[in-house]
Amino acid sequence: MKRNKIALASAAVLVAGVTVLAGCSSSGSNPKPSADTGNGNTDPKAIITASGSEPENPLIPTNTNEVGGGKILDSIFAGLAYYDGSGKLVNDMADKIEVTAPDELTVTLKKGMKFTDGSDVKADNFIKAWNYGALFSNKQLNQSWFADIEGFNAEADSELTGLKKVSDTEFTIKLTSPVAADFATRLGYSAFYPLPDVAFTDMAKFGENPIGNGPYKLAGDGAWQHDVQIDLVKNPDYKGVRKLANGGLTLKFYTSYDAAYADLLGGNLDVIDSIPDASIATFQSDLGDRAVNQPAAIFQSFTIGEWIEHFSGDEGKLRRAAMSMAIDRESITKTIFNDTRVPATDFTSPALDGYQKSLKGGDALKYDPKEAKKLWAEADKISPWSGKFEIAYNANGPHQAWVEAVANSLKNTLGIDAAGASYVDFATLRAAINAKDADGKRTFKTAARSGWQADYPGVYNFLFPLYSTGASSNDGDYTNPEVDKLLAEGASADTPADSVKKYTQVQEILVKDLPAIPLWYQNSIGGFGESVHNVKFGWNSVPLFEDITKDKTK
């Protein structure tokens, strides 16, 4: 399948003293909209309904690193910049983001931007929010996103000394290494959103009823009905570049995509961004030109923590490699997913520059039952296998069928007891994965489904957050000094080609260590109802909610 390429900005393009973004508007080539853009009888006040999932945590930008909460944050907050439908970085609260030195950026804010409580969006709102996210005692999931800023300390309450206020509308960012150009490309991610002053009086309370500065805002008290839905309405005070074509957005939290798809077919839901297993073979014929099946920057895997019995040291490497080679990815993507997935050949995505179709050592990602059995036997010589192997997944997503298929591959090839382990929803699964004992050690005892839906369109984003030491989404607690070193070198490289070389070296290490076992790349698959128009899915598989229009109610 032909894939669209999304360019990765680099120091070769964004040299010292050159403006990265200055007064940009969204003019990139967005994904193709739905064929029917309305009949001229759309309602600008209409509320769009879409599928979602209960956020794992209160809605604090620096503590949200999952898709359900991320959809909401991206709707109610506006950062310095955002990524449009094609992955282009577009200024929002920032008037200019300048690379003034290889290790320094200067940010100039637009004037007149406000939070929904009427307070101004100032430099301090970014500086205080980022410092809150970086402080060790706050235990924020996105803490590692601030690691490149001078003063960062992952294990102490250290102020980000690299953040300096120049005025209410200007601040500078001093970095610990010459990665300013790459760092600028990350600033559309939600971890870098500003927070109003009121947030710091009671962050827990704020997270339940957040005050943002984005195109949508919470509809009022009680707008977030936990495990049911969240109601957002148009924010009339938002003066950024994202223009709303509707009056609001309701994200419904489904316990299964079967129920969501049934609501879509029944006219009770406008947009769905995933299709249940049982309908993958038929959804395109069911929906016709209202079906969505397009490339996206999404990678699927499962992760086995090195603290789990039989998966540490040399034994663990042998068992991971054996499991990887025991999985028939071609058959699963064809029979389970009806070719809406593509077997993985690396740890990134074909939607990105730097993707590797063939890695040195990549045979570990190919189905080879004979070699798998051999490696498993070698591991047994170190320590005989015992127990049951389980892959945890959330039952409110379309995962049961593929988890069971992978478990069956392992069972049939390796002769072990393998099965899926169901958790009621994504928030419950993530809480279990992140749980730690009094000594700070993870207590999760099984493998778990993992993967990545890109935060920004760069290969670095698929590697650093998942595999660098102590990173926010490093579920397996993987650590390798050489990987850390190469990632840093790639981020500070002079050209895109040099960056790709370093990141490819990282992947050649990963394919040996297998901190996660790559499975396949996921397309954006979804659909929309008959009464909505101009529906587009972005580069990262999230619908562009602000563009959607809806017919007037008759």
Side-chain angles (χ1 to χ4, degrees), residues 186-255:
R186 310 173 202 170
L187 291 175
Y189 179 51
S190 57
F192 298 106
Y193 288 161
L195 290 175
D197 292 341
V198 68
F200 301 97
T201 60
D202 189 337
M203 194 63 75
K205 181 180 178 181
F206 176 84
E208 292 294 329
N209 191 20
I211 293 167
N213 62 320
Y216 293 100
K217 65 177 183 177
L218 270 68
D221 292 339
W224 183 3
Q225 302 174 55
H226 287 284
D227 299 311
V228 179
Q229 66 187 45
I230 190 165
D231 298 313
L232 310 179
V233 295
K234 184 175 182 177
N235 175 13
D237 295 323
Y238 171 70
K239 306 301 181 185
V241 296
R242 289 180 282 171
K243 306 303 180 184
L244 291 191
N246 53 67
L249 171 66
T250 292
L251 291 169
K252 297 185 176 183
F253 306 148
Y254 287 92
T255 56

Side-chain angles (χ1 to χ4, degrees), residues 482-496:
E482 185 63 16
V483 166
D484 295 340
K485 175 176 174 288
L486 288 167
L487 284 171
E489 291 173 354
S492 60
D494 291 333
T495 69

Side-chain angles (χ1 to χ4, degrees), residues 36-119:
D36 180 5
T37 56
N39 54 12
N41 195 34
T42 56
D43 181 2
K45 296 182 179 180
I47 303 297
I48 307 301
T49 60
S51 59
S53 57
E54 173 71 14
E56 177 187 356
N57 295 305
L59 294 168
I60 299 169
T62 52
N63 204 42
T64 298
N65 66 350
E66 42 81 25
V67 176
K71 283 183 190 175
I72 301 168
L73 290 177
D74 290 345
S75 298
I76 64 175
F77 281 94
L80 296 173
Y82 76 101
Y83 306 104
D84 72 6
S86 63
K88 177 184 176 183
L89 191 65
V90 179
N91 277 357
D92 205 346
M93 295 295 101
D95 182 51
K96 292 186 294 185
I97 304 171
E98 298 172 294
V99 176
T100 47
D103 61 351
E104 186 174 77
L105 299 102
T106 297
V107 176
T108 304
L109 300 177
K110 294 173 182 174
K111 297 178 180 179
M113 302 295 106
K114 293 185 178 295
F115 291 100
T116 57
D117 65 353
S119 61

Side-chain angles (χ1 to χ4, degrees), residues 315-379:
E315 181 191 359
K317 284 188 177 181
L318 288 167
R319 295 205 186 280
R320 286 184 178 83
M323 287 187 164
S324 181
M325 299 176 86
I327 300 167
D328 190 348
R329 295 168 177 81
E330 292 280 354
S331 293
I332 293 173
T333 54
K334 186 173 185 63
T335 59
I336 300 293
F337 294 116
N338 199 39
D339 292 326
T340 59
R341 307 289 193 276
V342 178
T345 60
D346 78 342
F347 292 77
T348 67
S349 164
L352 304 174
D353 283 338
Y355 149 76
Q356 299 299 313
K357 189 174 182 179
S358 178
L359 277 173
K360 181 181 178 181
D363 285 348
L365 306 183
K366 297 177 181 178
Y367 181 51
D368 188 341
K370 183 178 179 180
E371 183 66 14
K373 291 175 183 177
K374 177 185 173 182
L375 295 174
W376 195 259
E378 290 180 22

